[in-house]
Amino acid sequence: MLLLTRLSVYSLRQFFTYPKRRMGLISLKSAPEDRVVPPAEMKIQLTDTEEKICVLLDGCRDYLQAEKGISTTCRIAGGWVRDKLLGSQSNDLDIALSDIMGLAFAEHLAEFSKSKEIEIGTISKIAQNPDQSKHLETATSRMFGLELDFVNLRSEEYASNSRIPSGVTFGTPLQDALRRDMTINALFYNVHTRTVEDFTEKGLDDLRDGIIRTPLPPRETFLDDPLRIIRCIRFASRFGFQFVPEIEQAVKDPEIQEALVTKVSRERAGMELSKMMKGRNPSHAVALIHELSLFNPIFSVIPTEVSSTFSRTPSSPNDSLTAVLILKLLLSGSHTELPSLHPLLTSALDEDPTCQGRLFLAATLTPYLGVTYINRRQRKEPAVAYVLRESLKLGTQNHFLDGITALFDAASILRNPDLSLARFQKPSERVSIGLMLRERAVHNVHTGSHWTSSLLFSLVQELISCCENTVDALQIPAVSEKINRYNTLVRRVVELNLTTAVDAKPLLDGREVVSLFDAKPGPWTGAVLARVIEWQLEHPKGTKDECSKWLKEQHSSGSIVIAEQPPSKRPKIDE
């Protein structure tokens, strides 16, 4: 039932096609991506709230002209226009203003609204912050429950060594449209004429045809601000749109790839990557990164003093795409030639909205699996932790930093879960499986780790070895054997009633253990609590009293040693 739910939620029926089956192989080449198709008649249909806002903006414009001699035009810009034309709703409105600064207009709007007995939210000034793509001072407020940003139309000039404009001036609507990243994001809605304005003369057609195009020649656009490369990839994956050939040619230019490394802050790159991974089609984004040879400029921006300490060279970027396509294949449920996954293996994706993005980003970073480096404290640390923390500036939000490093550790713990192996027989099958699933890297609510998603990621990593010709095809017999092995483990977990045991607390806590042995707490306490967990796994119906009795017996036989804490050394004080 859970498996059917997952398939209906993600509607993944379109992901894979197998037009060229070779004997014993299953293709990883995906079918053309389903793109978001706009309605037959693309037009802006305002909600009641949006209508009220437009009426107020129109009235304020007339008021400023008549009463204060200020001439301006209000246009809603960018994403709101694009999404409305595609038939979607958007709650963020960017108001682009001609010949007036955003803060000044917002203050006039508040005054005008008050005269109409309409209250708007507090006006906040957002200062210039180039790292967050705020190149001009912006004003923001809430009106009728919606967020509004106010900024003037502008023209920008760039220095050769920075994506931050060296000069920003008042601009015309055309100049403002041309400075934007894509034609589909350069559309305006004139609130006075109630019409869509396409100053690039390509935005509406590109939105209708599913095309990603830059308003200016892509080389110029990308050299000015290379972050636009990553944004183009994000929107192409979000909508299933195709690049014009000129974009692909420009992005592969070594000069532009170097600019992506040197001119874009790691925070901004990580922010865009995070949105891709949490978006509609993260695998399409990774496929585009691969096709455009962008893995290293995005994921391998690592100083030589760090990379020189790597325990080994990261594997080929091909492994990144292979892992992502395998994950996509497993989640799609369209692999009729392969055994179906046990429903529990995908259950965490229903329960945790951050799980899918985390799994896809972890798969993307597969080349760093098993690679360590020496940190500033001269300690070994997973290289993937450096990439996440420094190259992408992604922290524990969405459990990227802590959760992905845990997935990498879990993959080595869970690898080859063949229940016939000796490691699953001692001290008993239930105890060995239970202890494995209770490993902190495998299952830990504090890092977003769930034993089911850890198993799924481990399976993905194992299946890479079944891939023939880099990212071309999987060997069906080998893949089926590994899937069956993981399914068998999960079925055994259910049969042994271990699904809740992974979260069970010890029957006795540390204070009770210390009291039981009339001793002082110390390192021995944790070791005894671990033995308590083992006993619980072996005796699922056991009681606290029975466990206490067993602990005393183990202590009497010498199997449990209570180490006395050495006396603290206090400095002698002369009297």
Side-chain angles (χ1 to χ4, degrees):
M1 192 67 179
L2 281 172
L3 185 57
L4 292 175
T5 300
R6 273 210 30 74
L7 297 183
S8 63
V9 168
Y10 290 99
S11 300
L12 295 169
R13 63 190 179 280
Q14 78 280 10
F15 276 162
F16 286 88
T17 185
Y18 313 110
K20 296 182 180 178
R21 287 191 182 87
R22 289 169 290 181
M23 186 175 296
L25 297 176
I26 185 170
S27 176
L28 282 177
K29 292 181 178 179
S30 61
E33 300 296 333
D34 273 2
R35 71 178 179 91
V36 176
V37 179
E41 183 183 2
M42 289 199 308
K43 62 180 182 179
I44 301 289
Q45 293 183 323
L46 299 177
T47 64
D48 291 342
T49 299
E50 291 165 345
E51 175 67 27
K52 291 177 183 177
I53 291 173
C54 287
V55 168
L56 199 62
L57 291 171
D58 187 48
C60 183
R61 189 278 304 261
D62 293 343
Y63 162 76
L64 291 177
Q65 177 68 56
E67 300 297 328
K68 301 193 177 184
I70 298 174
S71 178
T72 188
T73 302
C74 303
R75 295 176 172 88
I76 305 176
W80 179 90
V81 185
R82 177 200 65 227
D83 290 347
K84 295 289 285 188
L85 290 172
L86 288 173
S88 301
Q89 288 302 118
S90 178
N91 294 324
D92 294 326
L93 285 78
D94 293 333
I95 311 301
L97 305 156
S98 58
D99 303 314
I100 189 172
M101 295 293 287
L103 181 60
F105 180 84
E107 290 171 343
H108 287 308
L109 179 63
E111 177 185 336
F112 176 73
S113 299
K114 189 174 182 180
S115 70
K116 301 295 183 181
E117 299 183 347
I118 297 173
E119 291 294 328
I120 71 171
T122 302
I123 298 171
S124 301
K125 183 177 76 171
I126 302 176
Q128 286 179 299
N129 188 349
D131 286 342
Q132 299 298 320
S133 285
K134 297 293 183 183
H135 303 312
L136 270 187
E137 178 181 286
T138 305
T140 183
S141 184
R142 289 187 68 84
M143 184 182 296
F144 304 118
L146 297 181
E147 288 281 348
L148 276 73
D149 286 350
F150 301 90
V151 67
N152 59 282
L153 295 171
R154 58 196 187 272
S155 175
E156 298 172 346
E157 294 180 359
Y158 291 84
S160 61
N161 62 346
S162 174
R163 61 172 287 267
I164 299 170
S166 57
V168 180
T169 61
F170 282 112
T172 66
L174 174 60
Q175 289 173 321
D176 192 277
L178 293 177
R179 70 169 183 82
R180 294 178 180 265
D181 48 15
M182 286 158 267
T183 57
I184 62 170
N185 290 340
L187 298 167
F188 295 101
Y189 180 72
N190 189 311
V191 303
H192 314 296
T193 64
R194 303 299 180 93
T195 58
V196 174
E197 298 173 333
D198 182 5
F199 290 98
T200 70
E201 299 182 349
K202 294 183 177 70
L204 287 171
D205 286 340
D206 288 344
L207 195 61
R208 186 179 295 107
D209 297 335
I211 297 296
I212 297 293
R213 184 198 315 270
T214 54
L216 294 172
R219 178 178 171 80
E220 179 181 346
T221 295
F222 296 151
L223 283 177
D224 280 347
D225 185 355
L227 181 67
R228 292 166 177 162
I229 298 169
I230 306 180
R231 285 179 55 80
C232 284
I233 293 172
R234 177 162 72 86
F235 282 100
S237 65
R238 175 179 172 182
F239 297 123
F241 286 5
Q242 300 296 313
F243 291 145
V244 293
E246 293 83 2
I247 284 183
E248 298 182 23
Q249 295 165 8
V251 171
K252 291 180 180 179
D253 185 326
E255 184 181 359
I256 288 179
Q257 295 208 356
E258 178 65 19
L260 180 59
V261 173
T262 58
K263 293 177 68 172
V264 176
S265 74
R266 294 294 90 200
E267 288 88 350
R268 287 295 296 163
M271 192 179 303
E272 292 294 328
L273 259 294
S274 175
K275 291 177 180 178
M276 284 184 209
M277 295 300 137
K278 294 184 292 183
R280 173 176 174 263
N281 197 342
S283 60
H284 185 32
V286 177
L288 290 172
I289 289 171
H290 182 80
E291 290 171 14
L292 297 171
S293 303
L294 288 175
F295 183 89
N296 288 332
I298 293 176
F299 298 108
S300 299
V301 184
I302 302 171
T304 303
E305 58 267 26
V306 174
S307 61
S308 63
T309 70
F310 279 3
S311 57
R312 63 170 176 80
T313 303
S315 65
S316 167
N318 287 339
D319 288 347
S320 170
L321 180 58
T322 301
V324 167
L325 293 181
I326 290 172
L327 176 59
K328 177 181 179 182
L329 172 65
L330 294 178
L331 295 182
S332 73
S334 63
H335 44 84
T336 56
E337 298 88 345
L338 300 175
S340 297
L341 290 185
H342 192 289
L344 281 181
L345 284 172
T346 56
S347 60
L349 284 86
D350 295 320
E351 299 163 5
D352 178 2
T354 69
C355 184
Q356 176 171 292
R358 188 161 57 252
L359 283 171
F360 271 105
L361 182 53
T364 303
L365 296 173
T366 289
Y368 294 100
L369 186 71
V371 182
T372 60
Y373 79 102
I374 306 300
N375 65 18
R376 292 177 180 176
R377 297 181 179 180
Q378 298 303 302
R379 295 176 182 173
K380 280 187 178 182
E381 189 176 355
V384 71
Y386 184 92
V387 173
L388 289 162
R389 186 177 56 246
E390 303 298 339
S391 298
L392 299 177
K393 297 295 182 182
L394 293 174
T396 56
Q397 187 177 12
N398 300 300
H399 291 301
F400 282 141
L401 177 58
D402 50 353
I404 290 177
T405 52
L407 283 171
F408 275 42
D409 289 341
S412 63
I413 296 170
L414 299 171
R415 186 175 182 81
N416 190 25
D418 184 347
L419 295 181
S420 67
L421 296 174
R423 68 186 176 109
F424 291 109
Q425 307 303 318
K426 295 180 180 181
S428 73
E429 186 181 43
R430 192 175 198 277
V431 172
S432 59
I433 294 176
L435 290 178
M436 180 180 71
L437 298 185
R438 287 179 64 95
E439 289 273 3
R440 287 180 63 84
V442 175
H443 188 85
N444 183 358
V445 65
H446 300 297
T447 59
S449 304
H450 195 277
W451 65 272
T452 57
S453 54
S454 296
L455 279 170
L456 177 60
F457 182 73
S458 178
L459 172 59
V460 168
Q461 294 302 315
E462 286 207 54
L463 294 182
I464 293 175
S465 64
C466 303
C467 197
E468 184 182 84
N469 298 328
T470 63
V471 296
D472 183 38
L474 290 171
Q475 301 161 5
I476 293 176
V479 171
S480 298
E481 180 183 354
K482 292 181 184 297
I483 291 176
N484 284 330
R485 188 173 297 158
Y486 277 78
N487 282 345
T488 298
L489 172 63
V490 177
R491 284 195 298 270
R492 194 63 183 138
V493 169
V494 175
E495 291 167 358
L496 294 172
N497 196 26
L498 283 169
T499 54
T500 56
V502 292
D503 293 310
K505 295 181 179 180
L507 284 172
L508 288 81
D509 61 24
R511 185 175 299 176
E512 290 170 320
V513 166
V514 168
S515 176
L516 182 68
F517 293 111
D518 192 23
K520 293 181 179 180
W524 65 269
T525 312
V528 172
L529 288 173
R531 295 292 300 275
V532 170
I533 290 294
E534 288 186 31
W535 186 89
Q536 286 178 230
L537 289 169
E538 191 69 77
H539 305 85
K541 296 183 179 180
T543 65
K544 181 183 291 189
D545 289 340
E546 291 170 338
C547 184
S548 299
K549 180 181 177 182
W550 175 79
L551 284 174
K552 288 183 176 180
E553 291 171 352
Q554 292 292 298
H555 181 235
S556 298
S557 67
S559 296
I560 289 180
V561 177
I562 308 301
E564 292 291 335
Q565 284 284 81
S568 60
K569 295 181 180 180
R570 296 181 179 178
K572 185 176 181 180
I573 301 176
D574 295 330
E575 295 183 0

